[in-house]
């Protein structure tokens, strides 16, 4: 069935190093959303990408939507300990009868070593 | 501006029992989606409510049911609890029943079935 996949599952980086997580969908998406979940917390919406090839930046975070609108990436420059958490991508997958479900990937858990 | 409010925050139940979880959406949001998040996994879609009706349902058994009230608040009911129902249950509200807007999540209800 349709799914949203993320790699890697885990990433350990030294503080100051860069980090990238990748998201792939089995089908073309109308949009891709990114969320961050801190340890013990709940998912918090970061951003939504809509256009093919779109790139958006939030301070040290760069989000990209692929040309085919089936893949996306999140890149963090010079990680800090405040970046620790699990990053999820989510996309609307068709569930039948004209409806779409916001479907989450399994996430990439980022650990930052001070 | 109140975010999404969920209650209770933690709950311990015995196998076979029934549980009701509650959610008040963010002000201005009329759509509520419920997700189950097992430890180390991404949120799994249970169902979505809009205009007091269940609009979409994920791959969950009929033991999972819900309701939405005229003030847009929602309940999630789980009957005949199984050990495998232990998880974080997240309520998310949005502006519309289509996943074209970012979801606002509540802090969740941590359910433990013993």
């Amino acid at each position: 069935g349709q799914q949203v996949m993320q790699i890697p599952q885990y990433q350990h980086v030294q503080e100051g190093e860069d980090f990238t997580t990748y998201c792939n969908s089995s089908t073309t998406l109308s949009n891709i959303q990114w969320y961050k979940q801190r340890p013990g917390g709940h998912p918090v919406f970061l951003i939504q990408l809509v256009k093919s090839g779109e790139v958006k930046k939030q301070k040290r975070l760069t989000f990209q939507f692929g040309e085919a609108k089936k893949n996306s990436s999140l890149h963090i420059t010079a990680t800090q300990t405040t970046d620790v958490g699990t990053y999820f991508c989510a996309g609307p997958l068709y569930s039948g009868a004209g409806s779409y479900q916001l479907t989450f990937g399994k996430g990439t858990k980022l650990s930052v070593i001070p | 501006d109140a975010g999404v409010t969920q209650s209770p925050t933690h709950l311990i139940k015995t196998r076979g029992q029934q549980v009701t979880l509650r959610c008040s959406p963010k002000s201005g949001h009329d759509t509520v989606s419920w997700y189950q998040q097992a430890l180390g996994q991404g949120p799994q879609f249970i169902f979505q409510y809009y205009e007091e009706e269940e609009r979409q349902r994920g791959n969950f058994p009929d033991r999972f049911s819900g309701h939405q009230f005229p003030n847009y608040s929602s309940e999630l009911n789980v009957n005949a609890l199984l050990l495998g129902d232990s998880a974080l249950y997240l309520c998310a509200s949005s502006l519309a029943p289509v996943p074209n807007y970012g979801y606002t999540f509540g802090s969740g209800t941590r359910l433990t079935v013993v």
Side-chain angles (χ1 to χ4, degrees):
Chain A
Q2 300 178 67
Q3 53 183 330
V4 175
M5 296 151 287
Q6 271 186 267
I7 56 169
Q9 190 174 357
Y10 302 95
Q11 186 79 55
H12 304 274
V13 300
Q14 202 76 32
E15 188 173 16
E17 292 183 337
D18 292 355
F19 159 78
T20 305
T21 174
Y22 301 91
C23 178
N24 287 283
S25 168
S26 57
T27 186
T28 302
L29 300 170
S30 60
N31 70 83
I32 189 83
Q33 300 176 19
W34 286 91
Y35 293 78
K36 177 183 179 180
Q37 185 172 22
R38 295 182 184 275
H42 57 278
V44 174
F45 175 73
L46 294 177
I47 206 162
Q48 177 178 268
L49 304 173
V50 178
K51 299 176 184 176
S52 169
E54 188 170 14
V55 178
K56 285 188 176 181
K57 293 189 176 184
Q58 289 181 350
K59 297 181 180 179
R60 296 178 293 104
L61 277 63
T62 302
F63 303 84
Q64 192 163 6
F65 202 7
E67 294 291 339
K69 302 182 73 173
K70 294 179 73 172
N71 63 305
S72 181
S73 64
L74 158 60
H75 180 83
I76 302 178
T77 304
T79 55
Q80 300 175 359
T81 54
T82 53
D83 296 324
V84 164
T86 301
Y87 292 84
F88 294 99
C89 64
L93 296 186
Y94 187 66
S95 56
S99 296
Y100 290 79
Q101 296 176 4
L102 188 64
T103 302
F104 284 75
K106 291 188 175 182
T108 297
K109 185 174 182 178
L110 173 65
S111 299
V112 179
I113 305 163
Chain B
D1 182 20
V4 176
T5 305
Q6 288 189 246
S7 64
T9 54
H10 295 84
L11 207 51
I12 300 175
K13 289 287 190 179
T14 304
R15 276 181 298 174
Q17 284 189 315
Q18 178 263 344
V19 68
T20 297
L21 311 181
R22 295 175 175 83
C23 170
S24 292
K26 180 178 178 179
S27 177
H29 287 185
D30 60 6
T31 303
V32 173
S33 301
W34 286 91
Y35 285 81
Q36 180 194 67
Q37 186 177 28
L39 206 59
Q41 300 294 315
Q44 295 292 311
F45 177 76
I46 303 175
F47 42 55
Q48 182 186 74
Y49 277 84
Y50 173 69
E51 292 187 336
E52 302 180 50
E53 290 186 1
E54 182 182 294
R55 295 289 173 150
Q56 299 183 56
R57 189 178 186 90
N59 190 26
F60 279 79
D62 291 345
R63 298 186 297 108
F64 290 76
S65 63
H67 190 77
Q68 186 180 36
F69 301 92
N71 66 352
Y72 309 124
S73 67
S74 177
E75 288 182 349
L76 163 65
N77 301 292
V78 187
N79 294 323
L81 284 167
L82 304 173
L83 294 179
D85 295 331
S86 295
L88 179 66
Y89 288 84
L90 294 162
C91 170
S93 71
S94 55
L95 288 169
V98 289
N100 294 336
Y101 306 93
Y103 283 11
T104 302
F105 281 87
S107 299
T109 294
R110 173 72 62 186
L111 173 64
T112 302
V113 182
V114 297

